[in-house]
Amino acid sequence: MLLETRDHERFAFTEGPFVNELSADPGVVSRVTERLGMIRTQALSPAESAGYIERMVDQS
């Protein structure tokens, strides 16, 4: 998760099964921003997601 304050400070929050981390380190924020950007470019649209789920339900 990326967070930005009103003063434009940026933070990255990562959550895992054993550890949660809030970081203002520019390197960490940059890596999280890059990874989330990659996920967004590969994600289906809401309509495509609904169609995919419907196809999976029909197949079961």
Side-chain angles (χ1 to χ4, degrees), residues 15-26:
E15 186 175 20
F18 302 108
V19 67
N20 300 326
E21 179 184 357
L22 179 65
S23 178
D25 180 279

Side-chain angles (χ1 to χ4, degrees), residues 11-60:
F11 296 88
F13 178 74
T14 55
E15 186 175 20
F18 302 108
V19 67
N20 300 326
E21 179 184 357
L22 179 65
S23 178
D25 180 279
V28 172
V29 173
S30 178
R31 283 193 303 277
V32 171
T33 300
E34 184 178 312
R35 289 178 184 163
L36 288 175
M38 289 170 48
I39 290 169
R40 277 191 205 104
T41 63
Q42 296 176 7
L44 298 174
S45 71
E48 291 169 326
S49 293
Y52 178 78
I53 292 168
E54 289 172 4
R55 288 191 304 278
M56 293 298 107
V57 168
D58 291 343
Q59 289 181 3
S60 57

